[in-house]
Amino acid sequence: MALVEISKYKSFGGFQKVFSHKSKILGCEMKFGIYLPSQIEDKKLPVIYWLSGLTCSEANFIEKSGAQRYAQEYGVVIVNPDTSPRGLNISGDKDNWDFGEGAGFYVDATEEPWKKNYNMFSYVTKELIEIISTNFNVIEGTQSIMGHSMGGHGALICALKNPGLYQSVSAFAPICNPSKCAWGRKAFEGYLGPQETSNWSDWDATELVKVYNGPPLCLFIDQGAADKFLQEEQLLPNNLVEACKIAKVPIILNKREGYDHSYFYISSFIGEHIKHHSGYLQK
Ligand SMILES: N[C@@H](CCC(=O)N[C@@H](CS)C(=O)NCC(=O)O)C(=O)O
């Protein structure tokens, strides 16, 4: 599991780095970003994982979120992986911006030709955690997860399907009910098979919340009110809020007037999310 350092920039006192490594679970070379605050020289730190949305690589979050300032302030490492396997040349993996490369949807695929490599759920929740705890000065098991859009869905399902693995979870404009929106239905159909014969509900936050059985978990959700994908009913936050009410799972939904789906919106509130997670991680 050798890591290769691809880039290193000093930022707010710490270092923003990118590494590549050969992923066993995905069967390809993968890159991830990691921000290492300066405090890591003296002590072990907790980790927040960030999962990006459709069309992103590890670069978007690093270059546009402005997270480094807050990671340094709160003394947390931030790790952000790519959004799918890359460079495999599976037939059809580059034909769509919302399926295949850049759109792994954080599931473990069961369908051909994806099932051998498109296993982003296992990559994020197992292999990446192991790589980070083996190679960096982090507190093993003290971690949270957040993400945006497809990555917001990813963060929610990673937390809901692994009770206790993450101390807290948050999401910006998450795809809350993928079984009921066009993006999710296309991805689930391709990676998991037809709804009638596959367990889509095992990968859908709105369904998973109804059967959540683990340590107390509060879902911290952010949504721009002027997000065109909210208006197009790709995100469906109200379905998640309703499911949480029924299941008695606490949820905070912050509606942000005038904000859209972009990293201008994310960078406006990333500090609040890092502060939120830090409250759980520094206990
Ligand atoms: N390509 C899509 C938009 C895709 C999109 O908005 N992707 C979001 C995540 S769902 C993103 O983070 N894009 C990268 C960026 O803004 O840097 C379109 O043109 O409608």
Side-chain angles (χ1 to χ4, degrees):
M1 243 194 289
L3 297 185
V4 178
E5 191 176 293
I6 304 281
S7 61
K8 173 184 176 185
Y9 295 100
K10 189 159 189 184
S11 178
F12 295 99
F15 283 95
Q16 176 65 60
K17 298 185 179 187
V18 173
F19 288 92
S20 77
H21 70 105
K22 177 101 187 114
S23 164
K24 254 192 249 161
I25 284 179
L26 305 178
C28 67
E29 201 72 22
M30 287 296 283
K31 285 190 202 157
F32 64 84
I34 184 165
Y35 180 75
L36 299 160
S38 60
Q39 299 92 313
I40 203 149
E41 304 296 328
D42 306 317
K43 59 174 184 179
K44 287 183 181 288
L45 296 180
V47 184
I48 305 176
Y49 290 87
W50 168 271
L51 305 181
S52 289
L54 290 164
T55 72
C56 289
S57 70
E58 79 295 338
N60 305 68
F61 176 78
I62 292 171
E63 293 165 6
K64 296 181 175 179
S65 74
Q68 292 88 353
R69 172 193 292 270
Y70 304 103
Q72 173 66 40
E73 185 181 334
Y74 292 102
V76 293
V77 172
I78 302 191
V79 174
N80 66 297
D82 201 347
T83 55
S84 74
R86 301 250 177 205
L88 292 162
N89 294 319
I90 297 171
S91 169
D93 67 3
K94 291 177 195 62
D95 295 352
N96 296 278
W97 64 269
D98 54 1
F99 188 81
E101 280 198 1
F105 254 86
Y106 305 102
V107 298
D108 284 347
T110 53
E111 298 301 289
E112 296 291 359
W114 313 104
K115 67 180 190 186
K116 180 162 178 265
N117 308 96
Y118 275 67
N119 296 310
M120 286 298 289
F121 178 74
S122 291
Y123 174 69
V124 168
T125 57
K126 296 191 181 100
E127 190 173 10
L128 191 57
I129 290 178
E130 197 183 313
I131 288 169
I132 300 304
S133 57
T134 312
N135 290 281
F136 300 94
N137 196 24
V138 299
I139 312 171
E140 215 173 312
T142 301
Q143 60 220 357
S144 294
I145 191 160
M146 60 182 180
H148 171 226
S149 196
M150 172 184 74
H153 140 77
L156 290 168
I157 66 168
C158 286
L160 290 166
K161 285 168 75 67
N162 291 286
L165 183 62
Y166 303 97
Q167 267 77 55
S168 51
V169 60
S170 79
F172 290 83
I175 301 173
C176 293
N177 196 180
S179 314
K180 297 242 162 80
C181 73
W183 277 341
R185 295 183 67 81
K186 178 173 177 177
F188 281 13
E189 185 97 29
Y191 296 132
L192 304 172
Q195 187 167 22
E196 300 72 42
T197 51
S198 324
N199 279 341
W200 284 16
S201 53
D202 287 352
W203 301 97
D204 183 323
T206 295
E207 297 302 322
L208 287 166
V209 103
K210 297 177 189 165
V211 294
Y212 179 75
N213 183 16
L217 185 70
C218 172
L219 311 186
F220 188 76
I221 310 289
D222 219 282
Q223 178 61 61
D227 182 333
K228 74 169 175 165
F229 298 118
L230 176 69
Q231 285 140 20
E232 290 172 12
E233 305 199 329
Q234 295 281 21
L235 308 173
L236 305 170
N238 294 337
N239 293 8
L240 182 62
V241 169
E242 275 312 303
C244 283
K245 258 191 219 155
I246 292 163
K248 298 197 167 39
V249 170
I251 182 166
I252 295 166
L253 175 61
N254 296 303
K255 278 251 170 126
R256 312 293 192 177
E257 280 313 312
Y259 285 90
D260 65 10
H261 197 71
S262 69
Y263 270 87
F264 291 103
Y265 150 64
I266 295 171
S267 59
S268 304
F269 302 105
I270 192 76
E272 272 186 41
H273 282 242
I274 293 172
K275 182 178 179 194
H276 171 82
H277 291 297
S278 170
Y280 288 87
L281 294 168
Q282 314 280 6
K283 270 182 190 160

